[in-house]
Amino acid sequence: MVGMTVIEHLLIKQKESPEATGAFTRLLTELIVAAKVISREVNRAGLVDILGYTGRINIQEERVRKLDDFANHTIMERMEKSGQLCAMASEEDPDLIEISKEYPKGNYILIFDPLDGSSNIDVNASIGTIFSIHRKVTPGEEATLADALQKGSKQVAAGYFIYGSSTMMVYTTGSGVYGFTLFPGLGEFLLSHEDIKIPERGKIYSVNEGNYNYWDENVRRFVDYLKESDKATKRPYTSRYIGALVADFHRNLLKGGIFMYPADTKDPKKPHGKLRLLCEAAPLAFIVEQAGGYASTGYERILDVEPQELHQRVPLFIGSREDVLLAEEFIQGKR
Ligand code: AHG
Ligand code: MN
Ligand code: MN
């Protein structure tokens, strides 16, 4: 018997919210098609000329890989036609992306990281797509930046696709976190993880230790603490780092633990670290809190951060609640 498809799941959730018009279900259905197209290309990468660089530099001042571009255009072109969006924002594009006049507009904003973990593309390690959905808050049909610069706590939905040993979709609309696995033979995402809950405390820490000398002293103290041996507090923790946020986060979501990308002083242009608030930290923070975890900048709950600009970066400590709260204590000098 084939399990529940993600569309069935979306329709059940839609029925649970009386005011639902089906617009959101339509939006997510289109996004799922885009993810299947990207997943197929990711699985072919290496066989066709989709690896390597485009020669362009993006807003993040990073060289753009062909698969980044492919994923970005696949989502933009498909979602623009969905009729459910008034604007989009992509990690790969400097400004808000308007919906062209020829397509009907809707009341949602889609913010996304089309391909997360780009440095893993050529080495066949897991990569993913992250998305965040807000409702339009400004009057009139045209979207403005204010519609995108909303706090994470205002998200209508958030999720990610992970193109790994299998392709998975994990999402929340605010009533729990659900995971679906793509069955290649069927081309359907089937429910595989019902109501995911992250362990209160983990045994895994994920951080790029190569940046150790560029962290704040209190962050160094916290990571050193995790590595000390102490049976009573079940230390040392195990270190796991894949280098793709989605994959590191997904492992910690299922097994427990903390992922960190602290502010590092190596690059003065990025005093708040590398990860983006709107298309990486906020969507994953929504998911982790729905699963019983927590996400912080070290000083502030990620979902409470008031965005000031589209590509704003934040330090990120995310995962098991107890581990992230402990990180905050160290970072704030309370420990
Ligand atoms: P993206 O590929 O979307 O730019 O994201 C890469 C991010 C994130 O996926 C990962 O956690 C982090 O970069 C890894 O950075 P380092 O290589 O500096 O550890
Ligand atoms: Mn990313
Ligand atoms: Mn990316």
Side-chain angles (χ1 to χ4, degrees), residues 178-266:
Y178 298 87
F180 300 81
T181 300
L182 183 63
F183 273 53
L186 283 175
E188 284 291 350
F189 280 101
L190 300 184
L191 184 63
S192 51
H193 297 71
E194 170 97 37
D195 202 12
I196 299 172
K197 292 294 175 213
I198 186 170
E200 271 295 296
R201 182 174 166 219
K203 282 267 308 154
I204 297 170
Y205 76 98
S206 309
V207 69
N208 181 342
E209 304 238 21
N211 297 327
Y212 183 89
N213 294 326
Y214 302 101
W215 297 336
D216 171 89
E217 170 56 26
N218 285 334
V219 172
R220 285 202 290 264
R221 280 192 318 109
F222 175 59
V223 173
D224 293 344
Y225 170 83
L226 296 181
K227 297 200 267 194
E228 284 160 4
S229 183
D230 175 276
K231 274 208 177 22
T233 53
K234 299 195 182 84
R235 287 180 290 143
Y237 277 30
T238 298
S239 169
R240 288 283 182 276
Y241 194 72
I242 299 174
L245 171 60
V246 173
D248 281 315
F249 174 81
H250 184 68
R251 180 203 50 247
N252 290 358
L253 178 69
L254 298 184
K255 295 191 166 181
I258 181 168
F259 171 93
M260 298 170 260
Y261 206 104
D264 74 59
T265 55
K266 154 164 96 281

Coordinates of all heavy atoms in Angstrom, one line a residue, residues 178-266:
Y178 N 6.8 17.7 9.2 CA 6.5 16.5 8.5 C 7.6 16.3 7.4 O 8.0 17.2 6.8 CB 5.1 16.5 7.9 CG 4.1 16.7 9.0 CD1 3.7 17.9 9.5 CD2 3.5 15.5 9.6 CE1 2.8 18.1 10.5 CE2 2.6 15.7 10.7 CZ 2.3 16.9 11.1 OH 1.4 17.0 12.2
G179 N 8.0 15.0 7.3 CA 9.0 14.6 6.3 C 8.5 13.7 5.3 O 7.8 12.8 5.6
F180 N 8.9 13.9 4.0 CA 8.4 13.1 2.9 C 9.6 12.7 2.1 O 10.6 13.4 1.9 CB 7.4 13.9 2.0 CG 6.2 14.4 2.8 CD1 6.3 15.5 3.6 CD2 5.0 13.7 2.7 CE1 5.2 15.9 4.3 CE2 3.9 14.1 3.4 CZ 4.0 15.2 4.2
T181 N 9.6 11.4 1.6 CA 10.7 10.9 0.8 C 10.2 10.6 -0.6 O 9.1 10.1 -0.8 CB 11.2 9.6 1.5 OG1 11.7 9.9 2.8 CG2 12.4 9.0 0.7
L182 N 11.0 11.1 -1.6 CA 10.7 10.9 -3.0 C 10.9 9.5 -3.4 O 12.0 9.0 -3.3 CB 11.5 11.9 -3.8 CG 11.2 11.9 -5.3 CD1 9.8 12.4 -5.6 CD2 12.2 12.8 -6.1
F183 N 9.8 8.9 -3.9 CA 10.0 7.5 -4.4 C 10.2 7.6 -5.9 O 9.3 7.9 -6.6 CB 8.7 6.7 -4.1 CG 8.7 6.1 -2.7 CD1 9.0 6.8 -1.6 CD2 8.6 4.7 -2.5 CE1 9.1 6.3 -0.3 CE2 8.6 4.1 -1.3 CZ 8.9 4.9 -0.2
P184 N 11.5 7.4 -6.3 CA 11.8 7.7 -7.7 C 10.9 7.0 -8.7 O 10.3 7.5 -9.6 CB 13.2 7.2 -7.8 CG 13.8 7.2 -6.5 CD 12.6 6.9 -5.5
G185 N 10.6 5.7 -8.4 CA 9.7 4.9 -9.3 C 8.4 5.6 -9.5 O 7.8 5.5 -10.6
L186 N 7.9 6.2 -8.4 CA 6.5 6.9 -8.5 C 6.6 8.3 -8.9 O 5.7 8.9 -9.3 CB 5.9 6.8 -7.1 CG 5.3 5.5 -6.6 CD1 4.9 5.6 -5.2 CD2 4.2 5.0 -7.5
G187 N 7.7 9.0 -8.5 CA 7.8 10.4 -8.7 C 7.0 11.1 -7.7 O 6.6 12.3 -7.9
E188 N 6.7 10.5 -6.6 CA 5.9 11.1 -5.5 C 6.6 11.2 -4.2 O 7.4 10.3 -3.9 CB 4.6 10.2 -5.2 CG 3.5 10.3 -6.3 CD 2.8 11.6 -6.3 OE1 3.0 12.4 -5.3 OE2 2.1 11.9 -7.2
F189 N 6.4 12.3 -3.5 CA 6.9 12.4 -2.1 C 5.9 11.7 -1.2 O 4.8 12.1 -1.1 CB 7.0 13.9 -1.7 CG 8.3 14.6 -2.2 CD1 8.2 15.5 -3.3 CD2 9.5 14.4 -1.6 CE1 9.3 16.1 -3.8 CE2 10.6 15.1 -2.1 CZ 10.5 15.9 -3.2
L190 N 6.4 10.7 -0.5 CA 5.5 10.0 0.4 C 5.9 10.2 1.9 O 7.1 10.3 2.2 CB 5.5 8.5 0.1 CG 5.1 8.0 -1.3 CD1 5.1 6.5 -1.4 CD2 3.7 8.6 -1.7
L191 N 4.9 10.3 2.7 CA 5.1 10.6 4.2 C 6.0 9.6 4.8 O 5.7 8.4 4.7 CB 3.8 10.7 4.9 CG 3.8 11.0 6.4 CD1 4.3 12.5 6.6 CD2 2.4 10.9 7.0
S192 N 7.2 10.0 5.3 CA 8.1 9.0 5.9 C 8.5 9.4 7.3 O 9.0 8.6 8.1 CB 9.4 9.0 5.0 OG 9.9 10.3 4.8
H193 N 8.2 10.7 7.7 CA 8.5 11.1 9.1 C 7.4 11.9 9.6 O 7.2 13.1 9.3 CB 9.8 12.0 9.1 CG 11.0 11.3 8.6 ND1 11.3 10.9 7.3 CD2 12.1 10.8 9.3 CE1 12.4 10.3 7.2 NE2 13.0 10.2 8.4
E194 N 6.5 11.3 10.3 CA 5.2 11.9 10.9 C 5.6 12.7 12.1 O 6.2 12.2 13.0 CB 4.3 10.8 11.2 CG 3.0 11.2 12.0 CD 1.8 11.5 11.1 OE1 1.7 10.7 10.1 OE2 1.1 12.4 11.3
D195 N 5.3 14.0 12.1 CA 5.4 14.9 13.3 C 6.8 14.7 14.0 O 7.0 14.2 15.1 CB 4.3 14.5 14.3 CG 4.1 15.6 15.3 OD1 4.6 16.7 15.0 OD2 3.5 15.4 16.4
I196 N 7.8 15.2 13.3 CA 9.2 15.1 13.8 C 9.4 15.9 15.0 O 9.0 17.1 15.1 CB 10.2 15.6 12.7 CG1 10.1 14.8 11.4 CG2 11.6 15.6 13.2 CD1 10.8 15.3 10.2
K197 N 10.1 15.3 16.0 CA 10.4 16.1 17.3 C 11.9 15.9 17.5 O 12.5 14.8 17.4 CB 9.7 15.5 18.5 CG 8.2 15.8 18.5 CD 7.8 17.2 18.6 CE 6.4 17.5 18.4 NZ 6.1 18.8 17.8
I198 N 12.6 17.0 17.7 CA 14.1 17.0 18.0 C 14.3 16.7 19.4 O 13.6 17.2 20.3 CB 14.7 18.3 17.6 CG1 16.3 18.2 17.7 CG2 14.2 19.5 18.4 CD1 17.0 19.4 17.0
P199 N 15.3 15.8 19.8 CA 15.6 15.5 21.2 C 15.9 16.8 21.9 O 16.5 17.7 21.4 CB 16.8 14.6 21.1 CG 16.7 13.9 19.8 CD 16.1 15.0 18.9
E200 N 15.5 16.9 23.2 CA 15.7 18.0 24.0 C 17.2 18.4 24.1 O 17.6 19.6 24.1 CB 15.2 17.7 25.5 CG 13.8 18.0 25.7 CD 13.5 19.5 25.6 OE1 14.0 20.3 26.4 OE2 12.8 19.9 24.6
R201 N 18.0 17.4 24.1 CA 19.5 17.6 24.1 C 20.1 16.6 23.2 O 19.7 15.4 23.1 CB 20.0 17.5 25.6 CG 21.5 17.7 25.7 CD 22.0 17.7 27.1 NE 23.5 17.7 27.0 CZ 24.2 17.0 27.8 NH1 23.7 16.3 28.8 NH2 25.5 16.9 27.7
G202 N 21.2 17.0 22.6 CA 21.9 16.0 21.6 C 23.3 15.6 22.1 O 23.7 15.9 23.2
K203 N 24.0 15.0 21.2 CA 25.4 14.6 21.5 C 26.3 15.0 20.4 O 27.4 14.5 20.2 CB 25.4 13.0 21.7 CG 24.9 12.5 22.9 CD 26.1 12.3 23.9 CE 27.3 11.5 23.4 NZ 28.5 11.8 24.1
I204 N 25.7 15.7 19.4 CA 26.5 16.1 18.2 C 26.6 17.6 18.1 O 25.6 18.3 18.4 CB 25.7 15.6 17.0 CG1 25.6 14.1 17.0 CG2 26.3 16.1 15.7 CD1 24.6 13.5 15.9
Y205 N 27.8 18.1 17.8 CA 27.9 19.5 17.5 C 28.5 19.6 16.1 O 29.3 18.8 15.6 CB 28.8 20.2 18.5 CG 30.3 20.0 18.4 CD1 31.1 21.0 17.7 CD2 30.9 18.9 18.9 CE1 32.4 20.8 17.6 CE2 32.2 18.7 18.8 CZ 33.0 19.6 18.1 OH 34.4 19.4 18.0
S206 N 27.9 20.6 15.3 CA 28.3 20.8 13.9 C 28.8 22.2 13.7 O 28.0 23.2 13.9 CB 27.1 20.6 13.0 OG 26.5 19.4 13.3
V207 N 30.1 22.4 13.4 CA 30.6 23.7 13.2 C 31.9 23.6 12.4 O 32.6 22.6 12.4 CB 30.9 24.4 14.6 CG1 32.1 23.8 15.3 CG2 31.1 25.9 14.4
N208 N 32.2 24.6 11.6 CA 33.4 24.6 10.8 C 34.6 25.1 11.7 O 34.8 26.3 11.9 CB 33.3 25.5 9.6 CG 34.6 25.5 8.8 OD1 35.7 25.0 9.3 ND2 34.5 25.9 7.5
E209 N 35.3 24.1 12.3 CA 36.4 24.4 13.3 C 37.5 25.2 12.7 O 38.4 25.7 13.3 CB 36.9 23.1 13.9 CG 35.7 22.3 14.6 CD 35.9 22.1 16.1 OE1 36.7 22.8 16.7 OE2 35.3 21.1 16.6
G210 N 37.5 25.2 11.3 CA 38.6 25.9 10.7 C 38.5 27.4 11.0 O 39.5 28.2 10.8
N211 N 37.3 27.9 11.4 CA 37.1 29.3 11.8 C 37.4 29.6 13.2 O 37.2 30.7 13.7 CB 35.7 29.7 11.4 CG 35.4 29.6 9.9 OD1 36.3 29.8 9.1 ND2 34.2 29.2 9.6
Y212 N 37.8 28.5 14.0 CA 38.0 28.7 15.4 C 38.7 30.0 15.8 O 38.3 30.7 16.7 CB 38.8 27.5 16.0 CG 39.0 27.4 17.5 CD1 38.0 26.8 18.3 CD2 40.1 28.0 18.1 CE1 38.2 26.7 19.7 CE2 40.3 27.9 19.5 CZ 39.3 27.3 20.3 OH 39.5 27.2 21.6
N213 N 39.8 30.3 15.2 CA 40.6 31.5 15.6 C 39.9 32.8 15.3 O 40.4 33.8 15.7 CB 42.0 31.5 14.9 CG 42.8 30.3 15.4 OD1 42.7 29.9 16.6 ND2 43.5 29.7 14.5
Y214 N 38.8 32.7 14.6 CA 38.1 34.0 14.2 C 36.8 34.2 15.0 O 36.1 35.1 14.8 CB 37.7 34.0 12.7 CG 38.9 33.8 11.8 CD1 39.3 32.6 11.3 CD2 39.8 34.8 11.6 CE1 40.4 32.4 10.5 CE2 40.9 34.7 10.8 CZ 41.2 33.4 10.3 OH 42.3 33.3 9.5
W215 N 36.5 33.2 15.9 CA 35.3 33.4 16.7 C 35.6 34.2 17.9 O 36.7 34.4 18.4 CB 34.9 32.0 17.2 CG 34.5 31.0 16.2 CD1 34.1 31.2 14.9 CD2 34.5 29.6 16.4 NE1 33.8 30.0 14.3 CE2 34.1 29.0 15.1 CE3 34.9 28.7 17.4 CZ2 34.0 27.6 14.9 CZ3 34.8 27.3 17.2 CH2 34.3 26.8 16.0
D216 N 34.5 34.7 18.5 CA 34.5 35.4 19.8 C 35.0 34.4 20.9 O 34.7 33.2 20.8 CB 33.0 35.8 20.1 CG 32.8 36.3 21.5 OD1 33.0 37.6 21.7 OD2 32.6 35.5 22.4
E217 N 35.7 34.9 21.9 CA 36.3 34.1 22.9 C 35.2 33.2 23.6 O 35.4 32.0 23.8 CB 36.9 35.0 24.0 CG 37.4 34.3 25.3 CD 38.3 33.2 25.0 OE1 39.0 33.2 24.0 OE2 38.3 32.2 25.9
N218 N 34.0 33.7 23.8 CA 33.0 32.9 24.5 C 32.5 31.7 23.6 O 32.1 30.7 24.1 CB 31.8 33.8 24.9 CG 32.1 34.7 26.1 OD1 33.0 34.3 26.9 ND2 31.5 35.8 26.2
V219 N 32.5 31.9 22.3 CA 32.1 30.8 21.4 C 33.2 29.7 21.5 O 32.9 28.5 21.6 CB 31.9 31.3 20.0 CG1 31.7 30.2 19.0 CG2 30.8 32.3 19.9
R220 N 34.4 30.2 21.5 CA 35.5 29.2 21.6 C 35.4 28.4 22.9 O 35.5 27.2 23.0 CB 36.9 29.9 21.6 CG 37.3 30.4 20.2 CD 38.8 30.6 20.1 NE 39.3 31.7 20.9 CZ 39.5 32.9 20.4 NH1 39.2 33.1 19.1 NH2 39.9 33.9 21.1
R221 N 35.1 29.1 24.0 CA 34.9 28.4 25.3 C 33.8 27.4 25.3 O 33.9 26.3 25.8 CB 34.6 29.5 26.4 CG 35.8 30.2 26.9 CD 35.5 31.0 28.2 NE 34.2 31.7 28.2 CZ 33.2 31.3 29.0 NH1 33.2 30.3 29.7 NH2 32.1 32.0 28.9
F222 N 32.7 27.7 24.5 CA 31.6 26.8 24.5 C 32.0 25.5 23.7 O 31.7 24.4 24.1 CB 30.4 27.5 23.8 CG 29.2 26.5 23.6 CD1 28.6 25.9 24.7 CD2 28.7 26.3 22.3 CE1 27.5 25.0 24.5 CE2 27.7 25.4 22.1 CZ 27.1 24.7 23.2
V223 N 32.6 25.7 22.6 CA 33.0 24.5 21.7 C 34.0 23.7 22.5 O 34.0 22.5 22.5 CB 33.5 25.0 20.3 CG1 34.0 23.8 19.6 CG2 32.3 25.6 19.6
D224 N 35.0 24.4 23.2 CA 35.9 23.6 24.0 C 35.2 22.8 25.1 O 35.6 21.7 25.3 CB 36.9 24.6 24.7 CG 37.8 25.3 23.7 OD1 37.9 24.9 22.5 OD2 38.4 26.4 24.0
Y225 N 34.2 23.4 25.7 CA 33.4 22.8 26.7 C 32.8 21.5 26.2 O 32.9 20.4 26.8 CB 32.3 23.7 27.3 CG 31.3 23.1 28.2 CD1 31.6 22.9 29.5 CD2 30.1 22.6 27.7 CE1 30.6 22.3 30.4 CE2 29.1 22.0 28.5 CZ 29.4 21.9 29.9 OH 28.5 21.3 30.7
L226 N 32.2 21.5 25.0 CA 31.6 20.4 24.4 C 32.6 19.2 24.2 O 32.2 18.0 24.2 CB 30.9 20.7 23.0 CG 29.8 21.7 23.1 CD1 29.2 22.0 21.7 CD2 28.7 21.3 24.0
K227 N 33.9 19.6 24.0 CA 34.9 18.6 23.7 C 35.6 18.0 24.9 O 36.3 17.0 24.9 CB 36.0 19.2 22.8 CG 35.4 19.7 21.4 CD 36.5 19.8 20.4 CE 37.0 21.2 20.3 NZ 37.8 21.4 19.1
E228 N 35.3 18.7 26.1 CA 35.9 18.1 27.3 C 35.2 16.8 27.7 O 34.1 16.6 27.4 CB 35.7 19.1 28.5 CG 36.6 20.3 28.4 CD 36.0 21.5 29.3 OE1 35.0 21.3 30.0 OE2 36.6 22.6 29.2
S229 N 36.0 16.0 28.4 CA 35.4 14.7 28.8 C 34.8 14.8 30.2 O 35.4 15.2 31.2 CB 36.6 13.7 28.9 OG 36.0 12.4 29.2
D230 N 33.5 14.4 30.3 CA 32.8 14.5 31.6 C 31.6 13.6 31.5 O 30.6 13.9 30.9 CB 32.4 16.0 31.9 CG 31.6 16.1 33.2 OD1 30.3 15.8 33.1 OD2 32.2 16.3 34.2
K231 N 31.7 12.4 32.2 CA 30.6 11.4 32.1 C 29.3 12.0 32.6 O 28.2 11.8 32.0 CB 31.0 10.2 33.0 CG 31.8 9.2 32.2 CD 31.6 7.8 32.7 CE 32.4 6.7 32.0 NZ 33.6 7.2 31.2
A232 N 29.3 12.8 33.7 CA 28.1 13.3 34.3 C 27.3 14.1 33.3 O 26.1 14.0 33.3 CB 28.4 14.1 35.5
T233 N 28.0 14.8 32.5 CA 27.2 15.7 31.5 C 27.3 15.1 30.1 O 27.2 15.8 29.1 CB 27.7 17.1 31.5 OG1 29.2 17.0 31.3 CG2 27.4 17.8 32.8
K234 N 27.6 13.8 30.0 CA 27.7 13.1 28.7 C 28.5 13.8 27.7 O 28.1 14.1 26.6 CB 26.3 12.8 28.2 CG 25.4 12.0 29.1 CD 24.1 11.5 28.4 CE 23.2 10.6 29.3 NZ 22.3 11.5 30.1
R235 N 29.7 14.3 28.1 CA 30.6 14.9 27.1 C 31.8 14.0 27.0 O 32.1 13.2 27.9 CB 31.0 16.3 27.6 CG 30.0 17.3 27.5 CD 30.4 18.7 28.1 NE 30.6 18.6 29.5 CZ 31.6 19.2 30.2 NH1 32.5 19.9 29.5 NH2 31.7 19.1 31.5
P236 N 32.6 14.0 25.9 CA 32.6 15.0 24.8 C 31.5 14.6 23.8 O 31.1 13.5 23.7 CB 34.0 14.8 24.1 CG 34.3 13.3 24.4 CD 33.8 13.0 25.7
Y237 N 31.0 15.7 23.1 CA 30.1 15.5 22.0 C 30.8 15.0 20.8 O 32.1 15.1 20.7 CB 29.4 16.8 21.6 CG 28.2 17.3 22.5 CD1 28.2 16.9 23.8 CD2 27.2 18.1 22.0 CE1 27.1 17.3 24.6 CE2 26.2 18.5 22.8 CZ 26.1 18.1 24.1 OH 25.0 18.5 24.9
T238 N 30.1 14.4 19.9 CA 30.7 14.0 18.6 C 30.6 15.2 17.6 O 29.6 15.9 17.6 CB 29.8 12.8 18.0 OG1 29.9 11.8 18.9 CG2 30.3 12.4 16.7
S239 N 31.6 15.3 16.8 CA 31.6 16.4 15.8 C 31.2 15.8 14.4 O 31.6 14.8 14.0 CB 33.0 16.9 15.6 OG 33.1 17.8 14.5
R240 N 30.2 16.5 13.8 CA 29.8 16.1 12.4 C 29.6 17.4 11.6 O 28.9 18.3 12.1 CB 28.4 15.3 12.5 CG 28.5 13.9 13.0 CD 29.1 12.9 12.0 NE 29.1 11.6 12.6 CZ 30.1 11.1 13.3 NH1 31.1 11.9 13.7 NH2 30.1 9.9 13.8
Y241 N 30.2 17.5 10.5 CA 30.0 18.7 9.7 C 30.1 18.3 8.2 O 31.2 17.9 7.7 CB 31.1 19.7 10.0 CG 30.9 21.1 9.5 CD1 29.9 21.9 10.0 CD2 31.6 21.6 8.4 CE1 29.6 23.2 9.6 CE2 31.3 22.9 7.9 CZ 30.3 23.7 8.5 OH 30.0 24.9 8.0
I242 N 29.0 18.5 7.5 CA 29.0 18.2 6.0 C 29.3 19.3 5.2 O 29.8 19.2 4.0 CB 27.5 17.6 5.7 CG1 27.2 16.4 6.5 CG2 27.4 17.3 4.2 CD1 25.8 15.9 6.4
G243 N 29.0 20.6 5.7 CA 29.3 21.8 4.9 C 28.1 22.2 4.1 O 28.2 23.2 3.3
A244 N 27.0 21.6 4.3 CA 25.7 22.0 3.7 C 24.8 22.2 4.8 O 24.4 21.2 5.5 CB 25.2 21.0 2.7
L245 N 24.3 23.4 5.0 CA 23.4 23.7 6.2 C 22.3 22.8 6.3 O 22.0 22.2 7.3 CB 22.9 25.2 6.1 CG 21.9 25.6 7.1 CD1 22.3 25.5 8.5 CD2 21.4 27.0 6.7
V246 N 21.6 22.5 5.1 CA 20.4 21.7 5.1 C 20.7 20.3 5.6 O 20.0 19.7 6.4 CB 19.8 21.6 3.7 CG1 18.6 20.6 3.6 CG2 19.3 23.0 3.2
A247 N 21.8 19.8 5.1 CA 22.2 18.4 5.5 C 22.6 18.3 7.0 O 22.2 17.4 7.7 CB 23.3 17.9 4.6
D248 N 23.4 19.3 7.4 CA 23.8 19.3 8.8 C 22.6 19.5 9.7 O 22.5 18.8 10.8 CB 24.9 20.4 9.1 CG 26.3 20.0 8.6 OD1 26.7 18.9 9.0 OD2 26.9 20.8 8.0
F249 N 21.7 20.4 9.3 CA 20.5 20.7 10.1 C 19.6 19.4 10.2 O 19.1 19.0 11.2 CB 19.7 21.8 9.5 CG 18.4 22.1 10.2 CD1 18.3 22.8 11.4 CD2 17.2 21.6 9.7 CE1 17.1 22.9 12.0 CE2 16.0 21.7 10.3 CZ 16.0 22.4 11.5
H250 N 19.5 18.8 9.0 CA 18.5 17.6 8.9 C 19.0 16.5 9.9 O 18.2 15.9 10.6 CB 18.5 17.1 7.5 CG 17.5 16.0 7.3 ND1 16.1 16.2 7.3 CD2 17.7 14.7 7.0 CE1 15.5 15.0 7.1 NE2 16.5 14.1 6.9
R251 N 20.3 16.3 9.9 CA 20.8 15.2 10.8 C 20.6 15.6 12.2 O 20.1 14.8 13.0 CB 22.3 15.0 10.6 CG 23.0 14.0 11.5 CD 24.4 14.2 11.7 NE 24.7 15.5 12.1 CZ 25.4 16.4 11.4 NH1 25.9 16.1 10.2 NH2 25.6 17.6 11.8
N252 N 20.8 16.8 12.6 CA 20.6 17.2 14.0 C 19.1 17.2 14.4 O 18.7 17.0 15.5 CB 21.2 18.6 14.3 CG 22.7 18.6 14.2 OD1 23.3 17.6 14.1 ND2 23.3 19.8 14.4
L253 N 18.2 17.6 13.4 CA 16.8 17.6 13.6 C 16.4 16.1 14.0 O 15.6 15.9 14.9 CB 16.1 18.0 12.4 CG 14.5 18.0 12.4 CD1 14.0 19.1 13.4 CD2 13.9 18.2 11.0
L254 N 16.9 15.2 13.3 CA 16.4 13.8 13.5 C 17.1 13.1 14.7 O 16.6 12.4 15.5 CB 16.7 12.9 12.3 CG 15.9 13.3 11.0 CD1 16.2 12.3 9.9 CD2 14.4 13.4 11.3
K255 N 18.4 13.5 14.9 CA 19.2 12.8 16.0 C 19.4 13.7 17.2 O 19.9 13.2 18.3 CB 20.6 12.4 15.4 CG 20.5 11.3 14.3 CD 21.9 10.8 14.0 CE 21.8 9.5 13.2 NZ 23.1 9.0 12.9
G256 N 19.2 15.0 17.1 CA 19.5 15.9 18.2 C 20.9 16.5 18.0 O 21.8 15.9 17.4
G257 N 21.2 17.6 18.6 CA 22.5 18.2 18.5 C 22.4 19.7 18.2 O 21.3 20.2 18.0
I258 N 23.5 20.3 18.0 CA 23.5 21.8 17.7 C 24.4 22.1 16.5 O 25.5 21.5 16.4 CB 24.0 22.6 19.0 CG1 24.0 24.1 18.7 CG2 25.4 22.1 19.4 CD1 24.2 25.0 19.9
F259 N 23.9 22.9 15.6 CA 24.6 23.4 14.5 C 25.0 24.8 14.8 O 24.1 25.6 15.3 CB 23.8 23.3 13.2 CG 24.4 24.0 12.0 CD1 25.3 23.3 11.2 CD2 24.3 25.4 11.8 CE1 25.9 23.9 10.1 CE2 24.9 26.0 10.8 CZ 25.7 25.3 9.9
M260 N 26.2 25.2 14.5 CA 26.6 26.6 14.7 C 27.3 27.2 13.5 O 28.1 26.5 12.9 CB 27.6 26.6 15.9 CG 27.1 26.1 17.2 SD 28.4 25.9 18.4 CE 28.7 24.2 18.3
Y261 N 26.9 28.4 13.2 CA 27.8 29.2 12.3 C 28.0 30.5 12.9 O 27.2 31.5 12.7 CB 27.2 29.3 10.9 CG 28.3 29.5 9.9 CD1 28.8 28.5 9.0 CD2 29.1 30.7 9.9 CE1 29.9 28.7 8.2 CE2 30.2 30.9 9.0 CZ 30.6 29.9 8.2 OH 31.7 30.1 7.4
P262 N 29.0 30.6 13.8 CA 29.1 31.9 14.6 C 29.6 33.0 13.7 O 30.1 32.8 12.6 CB 30.2 31.5 15.6 CG 30.4 30.0 15.5 CD 30.0 29.6 14.1
A263 N 29.5 34.2 14.3 CA 30.1 35.4 13.6 C 31.6 35.1 13.6 O 32.1 34.6 14.5 CB 29.8 36.6 14.4
D264 N 32.2 35.3 12.4 CA 33.7 35.1 12.4 C 34.3 36.3 11.8 O 33.8 36.9 10.9 CB 34.1 33.8 11.8 CG 34.0 33.8 10.2 OD1 34.7 34.7 9.6 OD2 33.2 33.0 9.7
T265 N 35.4 36.8 12.5 CA 36.0 38.1 12.1 C 37.0 37.9 11.0 O 37.7 38.9 10.6 CB 36.8 38.6 13.4 OG1 37.8 37.5 13.7 CG2 35.9 38.8 14.5
K266 N 37.0 36.7 10.3 CA 37.9 36.5 9.2 C 37.6 37.5 8.1 O 38.5 38.1 7.5 CB 37.8 35.1 8.8 CG 38.1 34.6 7.5 CD 38.2 33.1 7.4 CE 36.9 32.4 7.0 NZ 35.9 32.2 7.8

